[in-house]
Amino acid sequence: MTSLLQILLLILDVVWFIMIAHIVMSWLINFQVLNLRQPLVAQIWDGLTRLLEPLYGPIRRILPPMGGLDLAPLIALIGVYAIRIILMNNAAAFY
């Protein structure tokens, strides 16, 4: 059962890293450091967006419209971290 806990924590860490990469890339695109007309940048952006949209979509439907501000990534980051905390605090159940 310890292996199951470690696998779940690894998956959460990978999701956390992908979300951070997506957030940082969105900032770089908005500040025009990166250009979506470059094929590599466009492919990476599209891939990250496709990976994370199933996670962000339900959150966006629940949140009220905030103009141009998208809080879905922040809520998702908090959710992933909360799940990690819950798993770590209940690690004794996996032994």
Side-chain angles (χ1 to χ4, degrees), residues 63-94:
L63 289 176
M66 299 275 207
L69 187 61
D70 185 17
L71 295 178
L74 176 64
I75 302 297
L77 276 174
I78 292 171
V80 167
Y81 197 71
I83 293 169
R84 183 174 173 75
I85 290 171
I86 291 168
L87 286 175
M88 291 302 292
N89 287 340
N90 295 313
F94 286 94

Side-chain angles (χ1 to χ4, degrees), residues 8-81:
L8 289 173
L9 292 174
L10 175 66
I11 291 170
L12 288 175
D13 287 343
V14 169
V15 169
W16 178 270
F17 176 76
I18 290 172
M19 289 171 63
I20 294 293
H22 186 256
I23 291 167
V24 169
M25 193 168 179
S26 73
W27 291 343
L28 292 175
I29 290 170
N30 284 332
F31 290 123
Q32 297 180 357
V33 175
L34 292 177
N35 189 350
L36 284 176
R37 285 185 230 131
Q38 297 172 341
L40 180 63
V41 173
Q43 286 177 348
I44 293 172
W45 177 253
D46 187 49
L48 289 175
T49 302
R50 286 180 186 212
L51 278 174
L52 293 172
E53 190 56 37
L55 188 62
Y56 293 162
I59 297 171
R60 287 186 180 128
R61 283 193 295 271
I62 294 171
L63 289 176
M66 299 275 207
L69 187 61
D70 185 17
L71 295 178
L74 176 64
I75 302 297
L77 276 174
I78 292 171
V80 167
Y81 197 71

